[in-house]
Amino acid sequence: MPENAASAAANTSPGTPPWGTVVISPHFDDAVLSLAAVIPQLPGPVVVVTAYGGAPGPEATVSSWDEECGFGTPHEAHRARVIEDAQALQMVGVAQITLPHPDGPYGDPSELGHLDQWLRELPADTDVLAPLGTRQDHHALVREQVLRTRAEQGAALPLIYADQPYTGHSAGWHTDDAEAVLAAEEERGASFRSLTDRYRLTRRYEVKLDDDQWSAKRLAVQCYGSQLATLGVGHGPFMAWRGPLRTERVWSLEPLSATS
C-alpha cells in the first residue's frame, strides 16, 4: 500500500496529509470504474473518499444485491469490499478513506452528515470531484451534498465526473458530441440536465484510454471481483474493449447566473 494510503487508513482527518485532490466515490468501486485513467492527471496527493463506506448495523440482514454477489451476511460483504477497494486503489496509486455511512440497503442514504463534516474540514482551495449521478439516486444525493457543502463554505465548486458504467451507456459516449447526445436522452440524461439547468459545464478532463491505460484500468477494476458478475446482469459486457469504461470525462461547473 502506498505511504499516503497507509496514513489515511490510520487517520481520516482531511488535513493529514493536505490532499491535492479529493475524489468522492459514493460506493466502493465508483472512483476506479469512472476515473482510473484520469486520476494520474489530478493534482496530488489524491485520496478517494467512499461516502457509503460504513459497516452495516449489527442487526442488519443481507440485501438482495449482496446475496446475489455471494455473501451470506452484510458484514462479510462490507469486509470484503473494503479489502477489494484497498487493493484497487493501491494499483491506481491513491489513498483510501471510508466514511461511516452504511450503504443504501442498511441505512438512510439521504443522511450524509459525516460527508458534510469531512468536507468542511478541507481547505477551501482543495479540488473535489463528485459523481454525475446518472440513473443512480444515491450518487445524485452525494453530488448534491457536495455541492451544498462547498457552496456554504464559499469554496470552489466541485468538478463533476461521469459515473461509470452508467453514463457510458449513452449512445454517443465515445464521440465528441457526448454531452449533446447525453442531454437528449430522456432517462439517462436526466441527471446531466439537472446540472445544466443550473451550471455551465465545461470539460476539464477527457481520457479516451489507449491500450496501456485500458490494461491498467482493467486490472484495477477486476479487484472488485465480488460485484462484477452481478453488475454485468444489468449492464451487459461493460468490461468489453469497446465498452463504456474506455472514455472518462470530468466537467467543471460555473453558475449560469455568473455567465448570463
Side-chain angles (χ1 to χ4, degrees), residues 56-64 66 72-75 105-106:
E59 304 303 320
T61 58
V62 67
S63 69
S64 58
D66 284 343
T73 73
H75 313 95
Y106 308 116

Side-chain angles (χ1 to χ4, degrees), residues 121-136:
E121 295 181 34
L122 283 177
D125 60 351
T126 306
D127 285 345
V128 176
L129 276 67
L132 175 57
T134 302
R135 297 186 68 185
Q136 291 292 312

Side-chain angles (χ1 to χ4, degrees), residues 129-151:
L129 276 67
L132 175 57
T134 302
R135 297 186 68 185
Q136 291 292 312
D137 291 344
H138 296 176
H139 291 206
L141 287 170
V142 168
R143 180 198 71 212
E144 290 302 305
Q145 181 65 65
V146 175
L147 284 166
R148 184 163 54 250
T149 301
R150 296 293 278 179

Side-chain angles (χ1 to χ4, degrees), residues 32-55:
V32 172
L33 282 165
S34 306
L35 294 169
V38 165
I39 282 173
Q41 301 184 24
L42 301 174
V46 179
V47 62
V48 171
V49 178
T50 301
Y52 299 114

Side-chain angles (χ1 to χ4, degrees), residues 234-257:
H235 293 277
F238 69 96
M239 292 285 289
W241 188 83
R242 300 184 188 276
L245 306 189
R246 285 294 295 265
T247 299
E248 301 176 0
R249 287 191 177 91
V250 178
W251 299 274
S252 60
L253 301 178
E254 185 179 5
L256 288 180
S257 59

Side-chain angles (χ1 to χ4, degrees), residues 213-236:
Q213 290 171 316
W214 173 242
S215 178
K217 179 173 183 174
R218 186 184 66 247
L219 290 173
V221 170
Q222 286 172 342
C223 291
Y224 299 103
S226 70
Q227 301 194 79
L228 294 183
T230 308
L231 193 61
V233 172
H235 293 277

Side-chain angles (χ1 to χ4, degrees), residues 21-39:
T21 305
V22 172
V23 177
I24 306 298
S25 183
H27 306 99
F28 299 117
D29 75 2
D30 290 314
V32 172
L33 282 165
S34 306
L35 294 169
V38 165
I39 282 173

